[in-house]
């Protein structure tokens, strides 16, 4: 027990730009996938990590993104850890990396379709094959990990449609450890998460935006049986904030009555089901039932507003009501699940007021 600690975060980097591309060495977050309440592909809400990034936009209809990141495993390597003569132990973590790419095609201005894949790998040095941006990493891994445990690979896609001037339709799909044999078997499922949403802007009323979004994630998605190659860094999940075996509904109403005044009201209902461990069991892992029991739910209603009194300067205020509950399931008390997913200060019914100002330069 280290008895607490300090938290600090720093982001920055070096980039080189040319007319249709950028290459960068940065420590930063990433957010991939259309959303207004949490992406399922890469959520951007985790400690930043160092990475090499590549962004190419050679034509209006095509875009390509790639990164190779140095993640933090927080898994101790007992062979490399040691205790010097001072008597203080020196733990050493196992190395962990991630490579990912995304191709985006825009056949017309109103349609954007993206697809890509990623791999989280560890227990080795940086693999040069995963530094090749355009690759299908799962296929590479079949060679590198021949006759041993594979690394952790994923596939994903995102679709954004704007068929009418005031309408935005969007959706994302994340597939973890895909297998063709599961498709034809009704008792089995691929580990996946999907998100869909719709937004009306300035219709039927000017300066009013209405958004609805929902997400569903099947059991064991974002998890892995090998701790060093989970879809996470610093033990923060890179995918959807609710993790596996969950769903949510999100509704948002935004109003801009005047040029510099903005109000927003939102409603969230989120549910988490049984907490399955990724371990050997009598029931095959890809046959675990979705949402058999509700272990936790969250109802949140929020109101926010801000007034921009000068360029890059505004004041804001907000009120949030929450009702977050746990439920007794599988011989665990309700408090077990409530404490697992929610800080103590937000247990049960709580309210929060916010006031502040922001000055930008």
């Amino acid at each position: 027990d280290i008895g607490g600690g300090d938290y600090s975060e720093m982001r920055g980097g070096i980039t080189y730009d040319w007319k249709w591309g950028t290459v960068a060495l940065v420590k930063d977050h990433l957010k991939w996938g259309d959303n207004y309440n949490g992406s399922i592909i890469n959520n951007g809400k985790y400690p930043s990590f160092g990475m090499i990034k590549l962004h190419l936009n050679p034509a209006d209809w095509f875009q390509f993104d790639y990164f190779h990141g140095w993640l933090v495993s927080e898994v101790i390597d007992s062979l490399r850890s040691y205790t010097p003569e001072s008597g203080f132990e020196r733990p050493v973590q196992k190395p962990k990396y991630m490579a990912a790419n995304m191709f985006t095609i825009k056949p017309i201005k109103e349609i954007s379709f993206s697809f890509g894949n990623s791999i989280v790998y560890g227990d080795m040095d940086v693999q040069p094959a995963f530094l090749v941006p355009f690759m299908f990493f799962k296929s590479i891994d079949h060679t590198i990990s021949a006759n041993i445990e594979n690394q952790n690979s994923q596939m994903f896609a995102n679709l954004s449609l704007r068929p009418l001037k005031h309408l935005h339709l969007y959706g994302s799909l994340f597939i973890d450890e895909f297998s063709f044999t599961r498709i034809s078997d009704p008792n089995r499922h691929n580990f996946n998460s999907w998100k869909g949403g719709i937004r009306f802007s300035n219709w039927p009323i000017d300066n009013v935006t209405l958004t609805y979004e929902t997400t569903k994630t099947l059991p064991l998605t974002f998890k892995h049986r090998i701790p060093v190659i989970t879809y996470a860094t610093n033990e923060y999940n890179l995918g959807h904030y609710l993790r596996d075996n969950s769903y949510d509904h999100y509704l948002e109403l935004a109003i801009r009555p005047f040029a510099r005044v903005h109000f927003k009201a939102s409603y969230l209902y989120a549910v988490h089901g049984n907490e399955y461990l990724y371990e050997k069991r009598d029931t095959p892992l890809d046959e675990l039932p979705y949402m058999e029991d509700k272990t936790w739910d969250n109802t949140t209603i929020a109101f926010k507003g801000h007034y921009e009194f000068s360029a890059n300067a505004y004041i804001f205020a907000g009120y949030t009501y929450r009702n977050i509950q746990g439920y007794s399931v599988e011989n665990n008390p309700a408090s077990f699940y409530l404490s697992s997913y929610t800080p103590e200060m937000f247990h049960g019914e709580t309210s929060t007021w916010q006031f502040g100002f922001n000055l930008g330069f």
Side-chain angles (χ1 to χ4, degrees), residues 24-256:
L25 174 62
V26 297
K27 182 178 183 289
D28 205 354
H29 307 118
L30 289 165
K31 185 178 290 186
W32 285 6
D34 281 274
N35 74 94
Y36 296 101
N37 184 51
S39 172
I40 63 172
I41 299 175
N42 207 308
N43 64 50
K45 297 183 181 296
Y46 43 76
S48 60
F49 55 84
M51 69 185 82
I52 299 170
K53 290 174 59 179
L54 176 66
H55 171 77
L56 303 177
N57 196 183
D60 292 340
W61 59 270
F62 179 73
Q63 177 179 308
F64 176 77
D65 291 278
Y66 163 84
F67 75 88
H68 183 283
W70 281 252
L71 307 184
V72 181
S73 70
E74 296 199 17
V75 177
I76 302 302
D77 187 337
S78 59
L79 292 178
R80 297 175 60 213
S81 301
Y82 62 95
T83 302
E85 293 182 359
S86 64
F88 292 92
E89 184 181 2
R90 174 59 172 172
V92 178
Q93 296 183 19
K94 292 188 176 183
K96 181 175 184 176
Y97 314 97
M98 180 178 181
N101 59 33
M102 180 176 280
F103 301 80
T104 300
I105 299 173
K106 302 177 182 179
I108 59 176
K109 183 179 179 181
E110 294 79 11
I111 299 177
S112 176
F113 176 64
S114 302
F115 60 92
N117 78 115
S118 61
I119 189 164
V120 179
Y121 68 102
D123 292 322
M124 65 170 70
D125 295 329
V126 173
Q127 172 52 244
F130 296 141
L131 293 173
V132 181
F134 307 98
M135 291 295 195
F136 182 53
F137 302 119
K138 184 178 181 69
S139 181
I140 294 175
D141 186 43
H142 288 164
T143 301
I144 295 173
S145 302
N147 300 316
I148 60 172
E149 177 73 31
N150 288 334
Q151 305 289 343
N152 184 14
S153 59
Q154 305 82 32
M155 296 188 299
F156 39 81
N158 186 81
L159 178 64
S160 176
L161 302 175
R162 299 182 184 272
L164 301 173
K165 181 178 179 181
H166 307 286
L167 176 63
H168 183 202
L169 301 171
Y170 59 95
S172 299
L173 173 65
F174 180 97
I175 303 177
D176 196 358
E177 299 182 37
F178 177 78
S179 173
F180 281 106
T181 60
R182 297 178 180 136
I183 297 177
S184 59
D185 190 337
N187 296 319
R188 305 170 66 197
H189 60 77
N190 278 295
F191 308 134
N192 66 73
S193 176
W194 63 263
K195 173 183 289 289
I198 181 171
R199 167 169 280 202
F200 293 96
S201 302
N202 298 310
W203 185 88
I205 303 173
D206 288 343
N207 301 315
V208 174
T209 300
L210 180 64
T211 306
Y212 170 72
E213 182 173 302
T214 186
T215 307
K216 176 181 177 180
T217 306
L218 296 185
L220 299 184
T221 308
F222 308 122
K223 289 182 176 179
H224 200 272
R225 55 188 173 271
I226 308 299
V228 77
I229 53 176
T230 56
Y231 195 68
T233 184
N234 287 105
E235 299 186 354
Y236 283 75
N237 180 37
L238 301 174
H240 195 243
Y241 73 97
L242 284 177
R243 298 183 290 180
D244 71 311
N245 203 19
S246 62
Y247 70 85
D248 72 359
H249 299 282
Y250 178 74
L251 186 65
E252 177 186 297
L253 176 66
I255 302 173
R256 189 183 293 272

